[in-house]
Amino acid sequence: MVRDLRIVGQQDGIDREEIMRSHRLFSLLFVRFREGPQGGVLMIASRFLYLMTLGVAVVLGPRVAAQVQTDVPAAVPGAKPVSVERIKIHGKALEGNLEGDAVDRDLLVFLPPSYAMEKARRYPVVYALHGYSIGAEQWSHEIHVPQTIEGAFAQGAKEMIVVLPDSKTLHNGSMYSNSVTTGDFERFIAHDVVAYIDAHYRTIPERASRGLVGHSMGGYGATRIGMKHSDVFGSLYIMSPCCLSPRSAPNPEVDKALEAVKKPEDSANLSFFARATLATAAAWSPDPKNPPLYLDLPTKDGQPQPDVLAKWTANAPLAFVDQYVDNLREYHGISIDVGNQDGLRADTAKLHDVLDEYGIANSLEVYEGTHTSKVADRIQNHVIPFFSQNLCFQAACR
């Protein structure tokens, strides 16, 4: 059994006011479950609790919409330039989605310094998934690529290709899930994107040479897709994953706002939490017979809808992880990280603990920081070095 839990940083640097705000938000937003006297599940919630679809918002609230609170590591002297290609690919898995989300999606491809010169050389690939409310282009600025990729290579990481696919939808996030309403973003990432990159770039087209990483909603995506598609990817890095546990609770204000939505474009006028509710419902409780949004909400007339809540629970990785233990054993490396001031810390630690209980090799690092403050630093000094150590860099890997 492997257990690697590291706490990084000093407590003295923590913003006490932010911690208190976080604690207050915890008391308002989190829903806990416990066993009832008859063996059933009782939901305990404050009357102010409202639907919490993205755990990341627990600490950051509306700030998460921009995800820009990031410390940028200094440029590494002498780093060689990484080239960037902005392309658009067709997502077959997204065809026919009821929401009308784009089927042709943007991709950012970062090619290592030696790619243009060493024409016979092939490279492993890392696929990096962005969070809620942003797309690939915005995330590229927030994690400061290509600078952070260049810095990682300059500091000794082996060269690889890095791909940022765009998965933003009508309601600002696909949840990297499979839904007739949004399209099958799970398959889009694991099949369409991978197949295109292998066909158009000099990759090493084997699972041992493919890595998957994501932050926040992207961390959820890396967890979900990683569990289900170990035949495609060989190493996982999960950053501050949201939405690991089943959570739900009604809130009159959010319910009222959602009931006022009569057409898809009304989504743009909603608050962050209400819009996130629509995104999650579109991904996890689609309904092809319920136009124009083609989704079912977890509350109706202020009352919880058990059938819908059951679907949401079925999409929570901590609820389905036991089904994919054998898949997770196939990974060469699994790394998880989260900030010590991040409201997602508890659930992130639970994921680590579950893997640990099954004897699945993985590491968890709790570093000093908030949900977004260190994401660029993590890319340069932790994510790329991790894949440098865990991916296969030659053909015929096993």
Side-chain angles (χ1 to χ4, degrees):
M1 185 176 295
V2 177
R3 184 176 184 84
D4 180 6
L5 173 59
R6 291 169 285 166
I7 309 295
V8 180
Q10 300 297 320
Q11 296 296 320
D12 293 342
I14 296 177
D15 185 334
R16 304 293 175 182
E17 184 178 351
E18 182 168 6
I19 290 178
M20 293 307 297
R21 288 198 301 270
S22 300
H23 288 172
R24 288 193 292 270
L25 283 167
F26 271 128
S27 68
L28 294 178
L29 302 179
F30 268 12
V31 176
R32 296 189 236 161
F33 296 89
R34 63 175 174 86
E35 292 299 320
Q38 306 301 322
V41 178
L42 300 179
M43 184 171 68
I44 306 170
S46 159
R47 69 187 181 89
F48 296 106
L49 278 170
Y50 53 87
L51 191 71
M52 182 59 206
T53 60
L54 296 174
V56 61
V58 170
V59 173
L60 299 177
R63 283 194 299 160
V64 78
Q67 289 195 356
V68 294
Q69 305 299 317
T70 301
D71 298 333
V72 185
V76 178
K80 298 178 180 179
V82 165
S83 61
V84 185
E85 293 190 359
R86 288 171 169 81
I87 62 175
K88 193 179 290 288
I89 74 166
H90 183 75
K92 185 173 178 57
L94 308 179
E95 291 178 349
N97 74 83
L98 301 176
E99 201 166 76
D101 289 313
V103 175
D104 295 325
R105 311 293 303 192
D106 293 328
L107 258 70
L108 277 67
V109 182
F110 297 87
L111 300 174
S114 64
Y115 191 87
M117 299 297 295
E118 301 182 28
K119 300 295 186 181
R121 183 174 174 181
R122 290 186 169 271
Y123 300 81
V125 185
V126 170
Y127 296 87
L129 309 181
H130 63 77
Y132 178 76
S133 84
I134 60 175
E137 183 68 39
Q138 184 176 352
W139 199 46
S140 74
H141 298 300
E142 294 171 8
I143 60 177
H144 293 271
V145 290
Q147 176 187 317
T148 50
I149 299 175
E150 294 166 350
F153 293 161
Q155 292 176 151
K158 299 175 184 176
E159 291 188 358
M160 63 194 75
I161 298 170
V162 179
V163 177
L164 274 62
D166 188 277
S167 299
K168 194 174 183 180
T169 60
L170 173 66
H171 305 306
N172 273 347
S174 69
M175 299 305 296
Y176 298 100
S177 300
N178 178 5
S179 161
V180 296
T181 301
T182 62
D184 189 347
F185 275 89
E186 181 181 314
R187 181 170 174 80
F188 171 67
I189 298 297
H191 182 270
D192 294 352
V193 174
V194 170
Y196 183 92
I197 296 298
D198 280 346
H200 292 82
Y201 294 91
R202 297 197 311 275
T203 70
I204 303 174
E206 300 181 22
R207 64 172 296 275
S209 299
R210 297 192 195 104
L212 182 65
V213 60
H215 176 261
S216 194
M217 182 186 77
Y220 169 86
T223 305
R224 176 192 182 106
I225 295 172
M227 288 185 191
K228 297 184 177 185
H229 297 277
S230 59
D231 59 325
V232 177
F233 303 100
S235 293
L236 294 178
Y237 198 116
I238 299 167
M239 309 172 71
S240 306
C242 83
C243 318
L244 296 181
S245 291
R247 300 189 176 92
S248 60
N251 173 267
E253 291 184 7
V254 171
D255 293 341
K256 183 178 180 180
L258 293 176
E259 289 175 3
V261 176
K262 303 302 182 184
K263 52 188 182 298
E265 49 267 35
D266 292 343
S267 171
N269 299 320
L270 293 173
S271 67
F272 173 86
F273 293 107
R275 197 171 194 186
T277 302
L278 286 182
T280 308
W284 295 348
S285 50
D287 186 347
K289 296 184 178 181
N290 190 20
L293 299 180
Y294 300 103
L295 55 83
D296 293 326
L297 295 168
T299 60
K300 185 176 182 179
D301 299 325
Q303 298 301 313
Q305 301 298 298
D307 290 347
V308 176
L309 292 173
K311 293 180 180 181
W312 285 42
T313 297
N315 282 277
L318 287 175
F320 64 69
V321 59
D322 306 271
Q323 303 173 47
Y324 297 100
V325 170
D326 288 342
N327 287 3
L328 288 165
R329 293 190 194 280
E330 296 180 13
Y331 283 99
H332 185 271
I334 301 176
S335 186
I336 308 169
D337 71 19
V338 67
N340 63 356
Q341 299 171 56
D342 192 333
L344 304 177
R345 176 177 172 178
D347 274 1
T348 302
K350 288 179 184 179
L351 177 62
H352 165 73
D353 288 342
V354 170
L355 300 184
D356 191 58
E357 288 167 4
Y358 277 111
I360 297 170
N362 75 106
S363 66
L364 170 66
E365 183 173 337
V366 181
Y367 56 86
E368 183 178 346
T370 66
H371 184 68
T372 57
S373 63
K374 299 292 185 182
V375 65
D377 171 77
R378 304 304 297 180
I379 293 291
Q380 175 174 300
N381 297 316
H382 301 271
V383 174
I384 299 298
F386 166 83
F387 286 118
S388 176
Q389 296 172 6
N390 285 279
L391 293 182
C392 180
F393 284 76
Q394 52 190 330
C397 294
R398 292 292 182 268

